[in-house]
Amino acid sequence: MAASFASRLAWIAVDWGSSNLRAWALDDAQQVIAEGDSPRGMLGLAPAEFEAALLEVIGDWLPASDLATEVLICGMAGARQGWVEAAYLPLETPPSEVLSRLATRLTSVPTQDTRLNVQIVPGLCQRPATGSATAGFDVMRGEETQLAGLLASRPGFDGAVCLPGTHAKWARLETGRLLDFSTFMSGELYKLLSQHSVLRHSLGADELHDEAQRAAFLEGIDTAMAAPERLSAELFGIRARDLLDTSLPTGEARGVRLGARLSGLVLGLELAGATARLPAGARVVLIGDEALCRRYRLALAHLGFSVDIAANADMILSGLGHIHRRGDSQATSPSITS
Amino acid sequence: MAASFASRLAWIAVDWGSSNLRAWALDDAQQVIAEGDSPRGMLGLAPAEFEAALLEVIGDWLPASDLATEVLICGMAGARQGWVEAAYLPLETPPSEVLSRLATRLTSVPTQDTRLNVQIVPGLCQRPATGSATAGFDVMRGEETQLAGLLASRPGFDGAVCLPGTHAKWARLETGRLLDFSTFMSGELYKLLSQHSVLRHSLGADELHDEAQRAAFLEGIDTAMAAPERLSAELFGIRARDLLDTSLPTGEARGVRLGARLSGLVLGLELAGATARLPAGARVVLIGDEALCRRYRLALAHLGFSVDIAANADMILSGLGHIHRRGDSQATSPSITS
């Protein structure tokens, strides 16, 4: 890297999940001056392998000087099976501004390379709260940073936020405070059913390209919303439809149609639970993978909700940037207690 | 086999499922005079292999004479991927006595061995009925024979019948007529979640031996019944409990407790759907695997239903015996139409 790059580099943001990592080099004005990624996610790494995996992506960015560069990491790298466990920060009752306190609970990671000053953002944990119908045991790692990013760009945000994925998170915020959150295993459930269950014989490519496919998806949504207790019967119904339903197209289109219905049923169950307490027509902010967010938006708009989509990487960068600035301001503030 | 056996043998009953087959030799008084089984189920056999697989179990029973012995088969051997497809018999609206007409729709299977006269019982199919909230596309193969067996022993039966299994069937009967049925994929869902999902790391042996395990199972039942729409959130909650719940025991007992909760959640979702229209305290007849029936009974009794358990093999034999007698009486009746 050129000297000018090293002189511009202020810190490095890293989103390190189960199956990959993304890194961004930022300058003092929070402009991205380089980015990189790697398929070496937490699940494929032993603790001793994380430093080398990180240096593969960001090693060239680091100045040779003795001054360590801050590398701020969010995500599963901080799990118990990750690099170093970053203890969960608990949600509190009544709700506090836990999202603004992430910077006060960073976990420092010892490294061999003296050019690195690695800090991991804590995840959040939730224990059942008296008086709350839905706040059960739950955890998140990575999404807290995206929520902090949303708050950084929309201070005092009120409303529902959904972060779709293998384990989708739904969070409720009120004037910038995190009230509670729930994780729905829908993504994993869909994958298990479509790849490993008896239904796999009936399914085609997973796509919502045409009107008939979207209609099948939305019928699945409506069916699950109307009678969530019949979900596992409706799942078998996909197999039975494949055997009996003469109104379905033949050939490849048949499997695609049935796959769209399966996707709708599984997501519909989630939406039945997640939207139960939302006011009609409420606004839902979606943060996540673009294609998945479009699928959620199609369903939520069909149910009468209004939807904003915020780009995944934007929220991570905004969140890590917020935590970085907080951390700086605290590090340079005079400390009273010690 | 001794000559006296051959002279007593009247016919042979076979339950041939996806993963195994059971056969019984019966005399004219419907007494079992021999039985056998094999792990060669439908899923492991090509059509050309069925005859040999059958003869491995019953070959020694067959008399050497030219008079073919009737072999009456129910189950997946009649599926499209089985020996010879036995077309589904459709349920009708208004409900008819479809279960008493199984004997009129047997599918004859050509065999090379002239000692065999093989007949396969049809499965049942159901298409959505106008005015029915729950009668959707559905199929059964094998359970129709068990239901016929129940009716043979309890003519004019009224009420709900549950046949637990990988794909559990719930049937509603009224004065001996089959109103409708639903298949719930709970067994397969439980297997997928416990063996292939992120939850597998949190689960121990699947047992309900002590009071605490049963309590965890019934809490799962109650949780799913109370809010079926939150099922996929409660599933992830098992992972979160494993990470956070200090009230759980440590060591192996922890995983067993969480496994009992998972079993309760998945079965609870089924029971929420299947019992929604049953009157409080209604009687449910369970037909199936003994251990699984005990688990269902524990849950159903907890919910206030009264439960009868009918042994799996008894109902199959009773059903095949009924079909055998009907077939005989029809074969010997003078035919009007041809």
Side-chain angles (χ1 to χ4, degrees):
Chain A
M1 289 277 159
S4 64
F5 178 89
S7 67
R8 280 185 68 193
L9 178 69
W11 65 288
I12 294 170
V14 178
D15 175 24
W16 204 331
S18 299
S19 52
N20 65 338
L21 86 84
R22 294 185 66 185
W24 298 267
L26 295 119
D27 66 13
D28 267 329
Q30 310 306 328
Q31 294 300 304
V32 174
I33 54 177
E35 50 183 294
D37 55 56
S38 156
R40 303 187 70 185
M42 180 274 277
L43 289 176
L45 294 170
E49 300 171 321
F50 278 78
E51 183 171 339
L54 179 64
L55 286 171
E56 277 173 22
V57 180
I58 69 163
D60 285 350
W61 299 347
L62 300 171
S65 79
D66 284 345
L67 195 65
T69 300
E70 185 191 351
V71 180
L72 190 55
I73 302 177
C74 69
M76 294 301 286
R80 196 172 298 170
Q81 304 80 8
W83 190 351
V84 166
E85 184 175 6
Y88 292 112
L89 199 56
L91 258 70
E92 286 154 10
T93 314
S96 61
E97 291 178 355
V98 67
L99 291 171
S100 66
R101 287 191 289 107
L102 296 171
T104 67
R105 298 291 194 93
L106 301 181
T107 295
S108 292
V109 180
T111 58
Q112 306 215 300
D113 192 316
T114 55
R115 296 174 302 167
L116 293 170
N117 165 21
V118 173
Q119 308 281 333
I120 302 184
V121 177
L124 298 183
C125 68
Q126 172 179 274
R127 293 182 173 83
T130 319
S132 166
T134 58
F137 288 105
D138 217 326
V139 291
M140 61 168 64
R141 252 193 214 289
E143 295 88 354
E144 73 295 324
T145 300
Q146 293 169 293
L147 292 175
L150 179 70
L151 284 184
S153 57
R154 306 191 194 183
F157 177 82
D158 254 319
V161 183
C162 170
L163 303 109
T166 304
H167 299 152
K169 310 284 178 186
W170 281 79
R172 295 194 307 145
L173 287 95
E174 198 175 272
T175 59
R177 287 160 196 247
L178 179 56
L179 296 183
D180 55 35
F181 67 97
S182 287
T183 305
F184 292 79
M185 270 183 63
S186 318
E188 185 163 10
L189 207 53
Y190 175 75
K191 190 178 162 192
L192 290 174
L193 289 165
S194 59
Q195 296 182 359
H196 298 287
S197 83
V198 68
L199 303 183
R200 69 187 187 281
H201 307 296
S202 300
L203 305 179
D206 177 27
E207 54 188 47
L208 297 183
H209 292 168
D210 65 34
E211 210 41 59
Q213 291 162 8
R214 284 190 287 271
F217 169 73
L218 293 175
E219 271 177 36
I221 295 281
D222 288 338
T223 299
M225 294 280 297
E229 71 281 4
R230 286 190 50 81
L231 196 267
S232 61
E234 292 294 345
L235 292 177
F236 187 80
I238 287 176
R239 171 83 184 132
R241 275 166 193 261
D242 190 21
L243 293 168
L244 302 175
D245 190 350
T246 51
S247 76
L248 284 171
T250 55
E252 279 185 37
R254 189 175 189 87
V256 175
R257 203 73 73 77
L258 290 168
R261 181 175 176 86
L262 174 61
S263 174
L265 286 174
V266 174
L267 180 54
L269 182 70
E270 172 179 326
L271 297 182
T275 67
R277 292 180 308 158
L278 295 185
R283 177 169 301 274
V284 175
V285 175
L286 292 170
I287 306 173
D289 167 75
E290 201 182 325
L292 197 51
C293 281
R294 278 201 304 270
R295 189 167 289 214
Y296 270 69
R297 181 171 60 188
L298 180 60
L300 285 164
H302 171 73
L303 298 174
F305 296 99
S306 68
V307 176
D308 279 358
I309 296 183
N312 219 356
D314 288 354
M315 290 302 104
I316 289 165
L317 272 177
S318 166
L320 286 173
H322 176 75
I323 294 165
H324 166 74
R325 288 190 302 278
R326 283 279 187 146
D328 275 0
S329 66
Q330 278 158 2
T332 55
S333 305
S335 169
I336 297 169
T337 54
S338 68
Chain B
M1 290 275 159
S4 64
F5 178 90
S7 67
R8 281 185 67 193
L9 177 69
W11 64 289
I12 295 170
V14 178
D15 175 24
W16 204 330
S18 300
S19 52
N20 65 338
L21 86 85
R22 293 185 67 185
W24 298 267
L26 295 119
D27 66 13
D28 266 331
Q30 310 305 327
Q31 294 300 305
V32 174
I33 55 175
E35 49 184 296
D37 54 55
S38 155
R40 304 188 69 185
M42 178 275 275
L43 290 176
L45 294 169
E49 301 171 320
F50 279 78
E51 183 172 339
L54 179 64
L55 286 171
E56 278 173 22
V57 179
I58 69 164
D60 286 349
W61 300 347
L62 299 172
S65 80
D66 283 348
L67 195 66
T69 300
E70 186 192 350
V71 180
L72 190 55
I73 301 177
C74 69
M76 294 301 285
R80 196 172 298 170
Q81 305 79 9
W83 190 351
V84 166
E85 183 174 7
Y88 292 111
L89 199 55
L91 259 68
E92 286 154 9
T93 313
S96 61
E97 292 179 355
V98 67
L99 291 171
S100 67
R101 288 192 287 108
L102 296 171
T104 67
R105 297 291 193 92
L106 302 181
T107 296
S108 291
V109 179
T111 58
Q112 306 214 301
D113 192 317
T114 54
R115 298 173 301 165
L116 293 170
N117 166 20
V118 174
Q119 307 281 334
I120 302 185
V121 177
L124 297 183
C125 69
Q126 172 179 276
R127 292 183 174 82
T130 318
S132 166
T134 58
F137 288 105
D138 217 326
V139 291
M140 61 168 64
R141 251 191 215 288
E143 295 88 354
E144 73 295 325
T145 301
Q146 293 168 293
L147 292 174
L150 178 71
L151 284 184
S153 57
R154 306 190 195 185
F157 177 84
D158 252 320
V161 184
C162 169
L163 303 109
T166 304
H167 299 151
K169 310 284 177 186
W170 282 79
R172 295 193 309 145
L173 287 95
E174 197 175 273
T175 59
R177 287 160 196 247
L178 179 56
L179 296 183
D180 54 34
F181 66 97
S182 286
T183 304
F184 292 79
M185 270 184 62
S186 317
E188 185 163 9
L189 207 53
Y190 175 75
K191 190 177 161 192
L192 290 173
L193 289 165
S194 59
Q195 296 181 2
H196 298 288
S197 83
V198 68
L199 302 183
R200 71 187 187 280
H201 306 297
S202 300
L203 305 179
D206 178 27
E207 54 188 47
L208 297 183
H209 292 167
D210 65 34
E211 211 40 60
Q213 291 161 9
R214 284 190 286 271
F217 169 73
L218 293 175
E219 272 178 37
I221 295 281
D222 289 339
T223 300
M225 294 280 298
E229 72 280 4
R230 287 190 50 80
L231 196 268
S232 61
E234 292 294 344
L235 292 178
F236 187 80
I238 287 177
R239 171 84 185 133
R241 275 166 193 262
D242 190 21
L243 293 168
L244 302 175
D245 189 351
T246 51
S247 76
L248 284 172
T250 54
E252 279 185 35
R254 190 177 188 86
V256 175
R257 202 74 72 77
L258 290 168
R261 182 175 175 86
L262 173 62
S263 173
L265 287 174
V266 173
L267 180 54
L269 181 71
E270 173 179 326
L271 296 183
T275 67
R277 290 179 311 157
L278 295 186
R283 176 169 302 274
V284 176
V285 175
L286 293 171
I287 306 174
D289 168 74
E290 202 184 324
L292 196 51
C293 281
R294 279 201 304 271
R295 189 167 289 215
Y296 271 68
R297 181 172 59 188
L298 179 62
L300 286 164
H302 171 72
L303 298 173
F305 295 99
S306 68
V307 176
D308 278 358
I309 296 184
N312 219 356
D314 289 353
M315 291 302 105
I316 289 165
L317 272 177
S318 166
L320 286 173
H322 176 76
I323 295 165
H324 166 74
R325 289 189 303 277
R326 284 279 186 144
D328 274 0
S329 66
Q330 277 158 4
T332 56
S333 306
S335 169
I336 298 171
T337 54
S338 69

